[in-house]
Every structure is written in C-alpha cells, then in structure tokens.
Amino acid sequence: MKDETKTIIWPAYIDSTKSKSEGRKIPKKQAVNSPKLREITQAAKKLRLNPSVEKYKSYPPSWWEGSGRIIIDRNMSKQEVLIKLSNLINGSRKDK
C-alpha cells in the first residue's frame, strides 16, 4: 500500500542539465545544476521534511547513473517542495 504522507525526490527532478523528458519537473530557471544527494538532504532538513536517503537507488529512466533518492514527509505539493529545495540549494551555492 502506497504511503500518501511520503514523497520520493530524485535528483533528476531539480537538475537543470536534464530535459523535461529526462525527468526534470520544475522550470529550468529554477532548477539546480547537477544537484547532489547531500545538498538535497540538507535543504530538506532545513524545510523540516524528515529526509531519508537511499543512496544506492537508481532513477528508472537513467538506471545506469545510480543517482540515489530521498524520501521526505509530504506537507505541501510535490511541485512546491521541489521549487523550495531548488531555491535553498541555489542560495547555499551562492553563499560559497
């Protein structure tokens, strides 16, 4: 049975180097250039989404990449979560 309170986040969802057909789910202008699991996890923690990392999973359309995934608590729409994660990652990269 599917858990409606959890959401899976694959790095491809917010990766600006991916096309929509390759899995990107947000506009390219809001996406992140090659996001890392660690960055997504840190952003999810800041948003209090209780992230759980599965680093040995592969995004099915690009199974050979072994990108890993993050499972988070869902308290808003998936689109909202992806944009907020992306904004936090972009913001933290500009601070460096």
Side-chain angles (χ1 to χ4, degrees), residues 38-51:
R38 178 182 40 79
E39 293 175 310
I40 299 169
T41 304
Q42 288 173 342
K45 284 180 183 175
K46 283 184 182 176
L47 293 173
R48 295 190 171 114
L49 298 174
N50 193 24

Side-chain angles (χ1 to χ4, degrees), residues 14-73:
I14 61 171
D15 191 342
S16 65
T17 65
K18 304 278 187 197
S19 67
K20 289 271 191 173
S21 63
E22 291 173 317
R24 184 171 42 83
K25 301 232 183 257
I26 61 174
K28 197 170 212 162
K29 288 181 181 179
Q30 293 178 307
V32 179
N33 185 10
S34 302
K36 306 286 182 258
L37 276 181
R38 178 182 40 79
E39 293 175 310
I40 299 169
T41 304
Q42 288 173 342
K45 284 180 183 175
K46 283 184 182 176
L47 293 173
R48 295 190 171 114
L49 298 174
N50 193 24
S52 171
V53 179
E54 294 181 336
K55 64 171 94 173
Y56 299 108
K57 296 289 185 176
S58 296
Y59 185 50
S62 55
W63 54 267
W64 59 91
E65 289 180 1
S67 63
R69 69 181 183 184
I70 296 167
I71 300 172
I72 59 167
D73 289 341

